[in-house]
Amino acid sequence: MKKIGILTGGGDCPGLNPVIRAVVRKCFLEGYEITGIKNGWNGLIDGDSVKLDLLSVSGILPKGGTILGTSRTNPYKKEGGLEKVKENFKKLGLDALIAVGGEDTLGVASKLIKDGIPNIIGVPKTIDNDLSATDYTFGFDTALNTATECIDKLHTTAESHHRIIVVEVMGRHAGWIATEAGIAGGADIILIPELPIDIEEICALLRRRHQRGKTFSIVVVAEGAQFKEGSFVLQERRLDEFGHVRLGGIGEALAAQIEKITGYETRVSVLGHIQRGGTPTAFDRVLGTRFGVKAVELAKDKKFGRMVALAGNKVIDVRLEEAVGTLKTVDMELYEIAKVFFG
Ligand code: F6P
């Protein structure tokens, strides 16, 4: 092991910089060279890289985003993409690659392993917390705390104006942010992609709450939630290179229905990318740091095709394929706890 590459792909999230810093620091101790690949898989297609040293990662621990840049590039959807990735991997003289990403980035990593680049190690990230084989991904805790703080703020204004406020949070396939921020922020209803929205049931819950004397309510909805009889609410129908549409707008649609059925004034707040930005929480800094150090240890031991993961409080490694096969959706036992506080 002489030279390791690192890339960050997919949606950014707080905690990526702590991983990069940890990888560089650990590589320095081991005497390995470290190359940063710019903008996810795009950097390996274009051969866009930067040499990383102690100075390049100095001071980045508390910063959100990623100093390497990111993109939603899928080499399998680019003309000659796979060949270019292989060519540049060779040209850069990489002995191993650490790919930091979610289902899409790690899905590509998993395919590349079969297609001639076996020396890859995965590090799981996503604010959605929906990757299997790890209890937590870094980025989630920061997003959760941001969303909770926003719900707290929306509570006081909803209460003063006697309104219902619908808070739309991120969560494409899984409602982890909605469920946990909803519990932490005392939401009166939480709607997630895992369960269809029954508008009549929601309005009945809201009416019951208002008949009890409450004059305001907070409804948290994940962007990927759908009406019982409907489909996703979209901002953009066009698919990205991983086949995803751009979600957003369920909050508006829901608020209109609630106001129409109940007659209560209903407003919407879409938290959007606020949840992905900002300084990582201590939890995400520590998790990112642990993942980064472990990833270099795996490279040292030539444990390729593996992904670092959190199991309880231990950082372990699992088969990369395990993580990208199926998504980790919300634990229904947790959702049942949230439901105790509905209405
Ligand atoms: O994957 C994380 C995520 O934040 C999802 O919750 C959301 O649907 C998506 O990324 C938005 O991605 P983009 O910023 O590329 O539109």
Side-chain angles (χ1 to χ4, degrees), residues 214 224 330:
K214 287 293 185 185
V330 168

Side-chain angles (χ1 to χ4, degrees), residues 72 126-128 170-172 223 246-247 273 276:
R72 293 199 184 274
T126 166
I127 65 161
D128 288 359
M170 279 189 169
R172 191 192 287 276
E223 60 179 356
R246 200 189 307 158
L247 298 177
H273 291 88
R276 285 234 301 258

